[in-house]
Amino acid sequence: MSDWLGLKDKVCVVTGAVGGMGVQICQALAAQQATVVALDMDQAKVADLVTQLINEEHIAGLAVSCDVTKETSVQHAVDQVKDTFGHVDVVINTAGILKFDPLENLDYATWKQVLDVNLNGYYLVTHEFGKLMITQKHGTFVHISTVASDIPETYSGAYSTSKAGVNMLSKQVAAEWGMFGIRSNVLEPCLVKTPMSAAFYADPQVENGRKTLTASKRIGTTTDIANAVLFLASDRSSYINATGLVIDGGFSVMMQNQIPKPGGRRGFAETH
Ligand SMILES: NC(=O)c1ccc[n+]([C@@H]2O[C@H](COP(=O)([O-])OP(=O)(O)OC[C@H]3O[C@@H](n4cnc5c(N)ncnc54)[C@H](O)[C@@H]3O)[C@@H](O)[C@H]2O)c1
């Protein structure tokens, strides 16, 4: 079973392709012999990535310079995919930004900037590629959301609000376009080391503190994320629609475990 996921030759678009998760997702797709369309803002970087994938994995690929907040830029990306490959199979929305400030200090421009990339950008990419998917009568969306779409990411302005919007956008896409053979799901990661989160891991003590909050006692890797993306992108998840996959090493269920007990929670249980 060399092509268990069935992604060989599937045209897969990845936004935020040269970011921490984006690169790993593109590499994982290429390793499955998928056709990789890498979208990001820096033309030179996407071109380098796609050249490397073509050379290493002997796949077909396309590098597209695209700002997901600009309608014409996204439409141009769809045109390039149509002209080159004629169709699209999978779109993975990954492009995102994170800005910090206590709410009372946050300026309106920053609030809007985060919503523009994280929510409006996902919408534009989904809307423009979705029209093509509807004509084809098939397609799959995987949107990178976050555990912080359900729990506020404090002092991070519009980040949680934007991702909560992504969760609902994904459900609406599934509900309206399911009849056209289109699926839409979100991945909800937490505690993954990438350029976006690198500053949180600069201090080993902070990193250790973060590990202890998870059930798995480790920080997530971009490979963990890419593996889950492959599954949701593939027909192996063909009856999974309008839902979310939490990928956080069990962090979300550890709240109760944070409540102190005399002698420690395990110690208490062993002595009572
Ligand atoms: N790192 C984590 O712990 C974590 C956890 C949960 C969710 N996420 C989400 O995962 C996704 C990827 O995050 P990452 O950690 O790889 O971040 P990253 O900063 O490494 O990559 C983000 C990429 O998005 C691109 N981008 C930003 N604005 C863009 C625009 N307007 N148009 C096109 N591309 C644009 C950037 O150029 C960059 O390559 C994001 O949506 C993020 O919110 C990350």
Side-chain angles (χ1 to χ4, degrees):
M1 267 218 221
S2 57
D3 187 25
W4 187 81
L5 288 163
L7 287 168
K8 188 173 182 314
D9 298 328
K10 292 281 163 71
V11 178
C12 301
V13 175
V14 182
T15 76
V18 300
M21 289 188 196
V23 167
Q24 196 71 47
I25 292 166
C26 289
Q27 285 173 341
L29 288 166
Q32 295 297 318
Q33 292 295 297
T35 295
V36 178
V37 181
L39 267 64
D40 210 310
M41 303 222 281
D42 188 321
Q43 173 65 37
K45 281 189 185 167
V46 273
D48 284 352
L49 173 65
V50 169
T51 303
Q52 182 204 333
L53 297 176
I54 290 171
N55 289 340
E56 286 175 4
E57 302 289 353
H58 311 291
I59 55 151
L62 179 67
V64 183
S65 156
C66 176
D67 180 341
V68 297
T69 67
K70 304 274 185 295
E71 195 173 8
T72 50
S73 183
V74 176
Q75 284 165 343
H76 180 61
V78 176
D79 288 343
Q80 281 185 265
V81 171
K82 263 201 272 194
D83 291 347
T84 314
F85 303 112
H87 74 285
V88 64
D89 296 296
V90 174
V91 172
I92 300 153
N93 267 316
T94 311
I97 58 171
L98 173 62
K99 302 271 177 193
F100 310 102
D101 239 332
L103 271 181
E104 69 275 20
N105 297 342
L106 191 69
D107 64 86
Y108 188 37
T110 307
W111 173 268
K112 286 195 286 193
Q113 185 193 5
V114 170
L115 286 174
D116 211 23
V117 178
N118 293 8
L119 179 56
N120 298 338
Y122 275 39
Y123 164 72
L124 272 179
V125 169
T126 302
H127 182 251
E128 294 304 325
F129 279 102
K131 288 189 281 187
L132 177 56
M133 288 180 181
I134 287 170
T135 63
Q136 307 168 166
K137 298 273 186 292
H138 86 270
T140 302
F141 289 101
V142 182
H143 313 276
I144 308 295
S145 179
T146 169
V147 163
S149 61
D150 300 313
I151 307 165
E153 179 76 41
T154 47
Y155 311 109
S156 301
Y159 187 74
S160 283
T161 303
S162 68
K163 296 293 190 173
V166 165
N167 294 358
M168 185 51 73
L169 170 67
S170 176
K171 288 177 190 170
Q172 188 168 350
V173 167
E176 291 193 20
W177 295 349
M179 67 169 108
F180 303 121
I182 295 170
R183 292 190 300 123
S184 177
N185 292 294
V186 298
L187 262 193
E188 296 184 38
C190 194
L191 298 160
V192 183
K193 210 189 282 189
T194 69
M196 180 184 274
S197 60
F200 310 154
Y201 299 96
D203 177 346
Q205 252 188 319
V206 174
E207 175 159 348
N208 271 334
R210 292 180 149 240
K211 281 182 196 170
T212 60
L213 291 176
T214 69
S216 299
K217 304 300 173 209
R218 72 171 176 88
I219 300 302
T221 66
T222 52
T223 303
D224 294 322
I225 304 304
N227 285 336
V229 167
L230 290 185
F231 172 67
L232 286 181
S234 80
D235 285 346
R236 290 284 167 180
S237 60
S238 62
Y239 201 49
I240 299 178
N241 204 358
T243 192
L245 179 59
V246 173
I247 175 155
D248 68 348
F251 162 73
S252 311
V253 301
M254 294 299 280
M255 181 71 90
Q256 195 74 19
N257 198 55
Q258 304 307 317
I259 300 173
K261 282 187 179 171
R265 290 182 70 88
R266 190 184 176 90
F268 187 86
E270 285 168 348
T271 52
H272 287 76

